[in-house]
């Protein structure tokens, strides 16, 4: 009797629960969109080798031709979805950015430090961005023009009449500019020591995160500790003065919103990493494109000579850099053609549907800046270096050399400033020729002319 009662009571509940589960699972299976087309390549290595061993234009263009504007692949040990339209980039970086988190390879994250701005989200990221933007907004960087100018002049003088690797020289210049913007005058004092350890650190950026004696990663982590010690000394000497937001370090130390010493270390490493190779690669490409386009070089030189003639004193000012529209277009066109960051990385924090396809939770999502910048419907004859195309402003979300949305580049004004100051002295005082074949591309880690562009530089 009791059994009969229990059966009659629970059976309908059991039946309905079962039916409900089956119905839901059928519904979600039916609604689950397919993965994007494409291939995941070899186990673990995927298509990493194909991507980094050929001209990136060829890799991305052939994928897009075969599979369309959204496709899947597998690089650097992760399954990825690549997206090559302005709308998709806007979706990932801007309108639905909360569905994606910034992500980096594990070795890079440990070397830069977990609390660096790139990996952070939410309130902590908002706070960091406020501090970084305060240090790099035009009003703040104006005062660095004299320092940047003397670094540019010194860099050119030291390269005179020798065979130099452009990228190598540019890395020294952009490293020194980064230090000045972070530490003000202290940057010059600590430069050699910081440079020495930073050069050891960077060798392990793309290594496997295996912290055993003798490994690249282990050496890099030791260099990180040394840099941490130097930074601790600088911070303690600054604490004795009253920090007033004259440079990035002071902004990080300011009383109300100040960061801990560990957070400051992670973010200073992060800014050096973000500022140096990017700007050095762009400068290297500009020198190559100007060398290959004599009429553009002539026009830039005339613009820079006019700036020089228009003033009594020899030194450049912030206002002078606003009288260089053609030079600015050369920078923009270089950023477009070279697209030194072919893409950026995000990770889906939940299953996301886009364009009728599924992006599974945990997969990397890569908006392809390079494909957007080389789309002939947006930029006709895309491989031609033609600065005049920037006489008309590009449409929204079609030109993203500095990214887009909450993680877009806060250093873009400083990058343009240091490039302009350098080009002013290069074009008005020097001529150069490239040595050897320069048609290939290598990664260092950003797209770079073959062998870092060897050149010989002479005074006019
Ligand atoms: C021409 C040179 C440069 C290029 C092409 C460039 C490009 C970019 C891009 C595309 C991003 C966004 C990455 C993403 O969304 O995942 C970014 C972020 C960043 N850049 Fe730059 N950058 C340059 C120079 C600089 C300089 C000079 C500085 C500092 C002085 C700097 C500091 C940063 C920082 C701190 C971030 C991270 C922002 C965040 O996560 O909120 N960059 N950069």
């Amino acid at each position: 009797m009791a059994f009969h009662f229990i059966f009659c009571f629970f059976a309908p509940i059991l039946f309905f629960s079962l039916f409900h589960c089956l119905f839901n699972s059928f519904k979600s299976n039916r609604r689950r969109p397919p993965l994007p087309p494409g291939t995941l390549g070899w186990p673990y290595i995927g298509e990493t080798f194909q991507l980094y061993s050929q001209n990136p234009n060829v890799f991305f263009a052939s994928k897009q031709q075969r599979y369309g504007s959204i496709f899947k692949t597998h690089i650097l040990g992760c399954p990825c979805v690549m997206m090559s339209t302005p709308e998709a980039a806007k979706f990932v970086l801007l309108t639905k950015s909360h569905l994606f988190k910034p992500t980096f390879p594990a070795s890079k994250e440990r070397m830069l430090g977990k609390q660096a701005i790139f990996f952070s989200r939410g309130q902590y990221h908002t706070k960091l961005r406020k501090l970084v933007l305060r240090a790099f907004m035009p009003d703040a960087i104006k005062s660095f023009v004299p320092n940047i100018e003397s670094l540019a002049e010194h860099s050119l003088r030291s390269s005179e009449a020798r065979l130099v690797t452009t990228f190598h020289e540019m890395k020294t210049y952009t490293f020194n500019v980064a230090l000045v913007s972070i530490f003000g005058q202290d940057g010059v004092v600590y430069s050699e020591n910081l440079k020495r350890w930073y050069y050891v650190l960077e060798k392990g950026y793309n290594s496997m995160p295996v912290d055993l004696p003798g490994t690249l990663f282990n050496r890099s982590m030791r260099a990180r500790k040394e840099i941490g010690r130097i930074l601790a000394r600088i911070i303690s000497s600054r604490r004795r003065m009253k920090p007033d937001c004259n440079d990035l370090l002071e902004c990080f130390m300011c009383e109300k919103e100040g960061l801990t010493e560990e957070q400051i270390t992670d973010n200073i490493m992060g800014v050096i990493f973000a500022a140096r190779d990017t700007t050095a690669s762009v400068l290297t490409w500009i020198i190559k494109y100007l060398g290959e386009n004599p009429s553009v070089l002539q026009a830039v030189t005339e613009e820079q000579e006019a700036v020089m003639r228009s003033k009594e004193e020899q030194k450049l000012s912030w206002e002078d850099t606003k009288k260089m529209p053609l030079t600015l277009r050369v920078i923009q066109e270089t950023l477009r053609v070279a697209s030194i960051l072919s893409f950026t990385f995000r990770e889906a924090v939940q299953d996301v549907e886009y364009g009728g396809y599924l992006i599974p939770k945990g997969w990397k999502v890569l908006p392809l800046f390079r494909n957007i910048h080389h789309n002939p419907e947006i930029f006709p004859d895309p491989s031609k270096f033609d600065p005049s195309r920037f006489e008309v402003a590009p449409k929204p979300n079609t030109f993203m050399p500095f990214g887009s949305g909450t993680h877009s580049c806060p250093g873009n004004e400083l990058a343009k400033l240091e490039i302009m100051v350098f080009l002013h002295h290069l074009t008005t005082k020097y001529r150069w020729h490239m040595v050897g074949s320069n048609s290939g591309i290598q990664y260092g880690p950003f797209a770079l002319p073959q062998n870092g562009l060897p050149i010989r530089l002479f005074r006019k």
Side-chain angles (χ1 to χ4, degrees):
M1 179 68 188
F3 172 78
H4 188 74
F5 173 76
I6 291 170
F7 181 79
C8 291
F9 186 76
F10 283 110
I13 299 178
L14 216 77
F15 175 77
F16 277 114
S17 309
L18 208 70
F19 178 76
H20 189 69
C21 281
L22 280 172
F23 180 73
N24 272 351
S25 121
F26 171 74
K27 213 169 68 173
S28 72
N29 271 343
R30 211 171 45 128
R31 274 227 247 105
R32 209 174 152 83
L35 287 171
T39 158
L40 298 180
W42 292 86
Y44 192 71
I45 40 176
E47 299 191 295
T48 313
F49 182 69
Q50 285 96 314
L51 171 62
Y52 288 110
S53 65
Q54 57 182 314
N55 184 324
N57 286 339
V58 175
F59 177 84
F60 292 119
S62 64
K63 286 275 177 198
Q64 195 177 331
Q65 217 169 21
R66 187 148 175 214
Y67 300 116
S69 61
I70 303 179
F71 51 89
K72 65 173 179 293
T73 177
H74 196 284
I75 58 165
L76 300 168
C78 314
C80 311
V81 173
M82 294 189 166
M83 306 167 109
S84 63
T85 62
E87 295 73 27
K90 184 176 168 195
F91 177 84
V92 175
L93 300 175
L94 214 58
T95 47
K96 297 288 174 193
S97 60
H98 59 284
L99 302 177
F100 304 95
K101 62 175 184 189
T103 165
F104 273 69
S107 50
K108 220 168 256 179
E109 200 162 317
R110 281 183 60 189
M111 274 173 219
L112 294 177
K114 279 202 271 303
Q115 304 193 66
I117 186 165
F118 317 99
F119 324 120
S120 63
R121 302 174 75 199
Q123 271 183 356
Y124 176 59
H125 180 249
T126 312
K127 170 176 162 174
L128 280 178
R129 259 195 95 85
K130 213 166 110 195
L131 297 175
V132 172
L133 282 168
R134 195 182 294 165
F136 292 137
M137 65 186 177
D139 261 352
I141 59 175
K142 266 179 190 177
S143 63
F144 298 140
V145 175
N147 296 78
I148 295 177
E149 186 170 28
S150 66
L151 290 171
E153 287 175 307
H154 178 266
S155 162
L156 284 162
R157 260 198 316 274
S158 67
S159 305
E160 269 174 32
R162 351 184 242 124
L163 179 64
V164 292
T165 305
T166 311
F167 183 56
H168 184 80
E169 300 302 318
M170 293 302 96
K171 280 205 304 192
T172 306
Y173 169 60
T174 52
F175 185 82
N176 288 333
V177 173
L179 292 195
V180 163
S181 69
I182 296 168
F183 304 113
Q185 277 309 315
D186 285 359
V188 183
V189 179
Y190 293 98
S191 147
E192 281 314 310
N193 215 1
L194 280 170
K195 198 182 302 164
R196 188 157 66 93
W197 289 112
Y198 190 80
Y199 274 64
V200 179
L201 175 89
E202 68 171 355
K203 290 212 168 69
Y205 269 144
N206 292 326
S207 61
M208 300 295 285
V210 181
D211 202 356
L212 291 174
T215 60
L216 264 183
F217 183 75
N218 179 267
R219 277 202 287 276
S220 295
M221 291 306 279
R222 280 198 349 242
R224 188 189 143 83
K225 273 196 199 118
E226 290 299 332
I227 296 174
R229 278 190 202 116
I230 302 170
L231 293 180
R233 280 204 296 278
I234 305 177
I235 293 168
S236 99
S237 82
R238 280 287 174 98
R239 287 214 199 281
R240 279 178 242 130
M241 305 167 214
K242 244 191 159 344
D244 192 25
C245 213
N246 289 316
D247 51 44
L248 184 67
L249 177 60
E250 287 194 354
C251 289
F252 283 161
M253 291 174 70
C254 66
E255 254 167 53
K256 260 204 224 137
E257 301 139 309
L259 305 179
T260 65
E261 197 165 305
E262 205 182 329
Q263 289 170 335
I264 295 179
T265 305
D266 289 2
N267 281 290
I268 285 180
M269 305 251 208
V271 167
I272 298 176
F273 164 74
R276 193 194 64 168
D277 286 14
T278 46
T279 318
S281 309
V282 174
L283 269 162
T284 306
W285 283 108
I286 294 183
I287 292 172
K288 175 176 157 65
Y289 293 142
L290 286 180
E292 289 171 350
N293 293 274
S295 60
V296 181
L297 173 59
Q298 179 62 28
V300 171
T301 308
E302 282 166 16
E303 180 173 88
Q304 294 299 337
E305 284 171 349
V307 170
M308 214 162 62
R309 278 196 305 273
S310 70
K311 44 205 271 104
E312 277 175 8
E313 80 281 19
Q314 288 297 300
K315 293 289 163 198
L316 277 177
S317 66
W318 170 260
E319 287 67 35
D320 292 330
T321 64
K322 301 291 147 202
K323 297 180 203 148
M324 304 174 178
L326 174 59
T327 310
L328 179 62
R329 289 200 289 275
V330 166
I331 297 172
Q332 290 171 310
E333 179 65 342
T334 303
L335 288 165
R336 185 195 69 79
V337 183
S339 287
I340 57 145
L341 270 108
S342 300
F343 49 78
T344 187
F345 273 102
R346 293 289 185 273
E347 185 182 308
V349 293
Q350 60 181 68
D351 282 358
V352 179
E353 190 180 333
Y354 183 80
Y357 295 115
L358 173 73
I359 305 169
K361 179 179 174 187
W363 278 42
K364 308 290 179 206
V365 182
L366 283 62
L368 298 179
F369 301 137
R370 177 177 288 276
N371 288 42
I372 298 170
H373 295 165
H374 283 257
N375 181 337
E377 281 165 28
I378 304 171
F379 297 103
D381 200 357
S383 44
K384 184 172 174 208
F385 180 77
D386 177 12
S388 73
R389 64 173 94 233
F390 281 95
E391 281 165 12
V392 180
K395 293 201 184 85
N397 307 305
T398 60
F399 182 55
M400 285 173 280
F402 294 107
S404 177
T406 47
H407 283 272
S408 66
C409 182
N412 74 88
E413 287 294 337
L414 178 65
K416 285 184 276 191
L417 173 67
E418 61 186 288
I419 294 173
M420 280 181 169
V421 171
F422 190 89
L423 290 181
H424 175 77
H425 290 280
L426 175 71
T427 56
T428 53
K429 299 180 187 141
Y430 293 88
R431 65 193 160 76
W432 68 96
H433 62 81
M434 294 176 269
V435 177
S437 156
N438 295 296
S439 53
I441 294 185
Q442 67 179 61
Y443 287 91
F446 304 106
L448 197 67
Q450 191 79 57
N451 302 322
L453 195 70
I455 61 165
R456 276 186 198 282
L457 187 76
F458 302 97
R459 264 210 172 249
K460 278 186 180 169

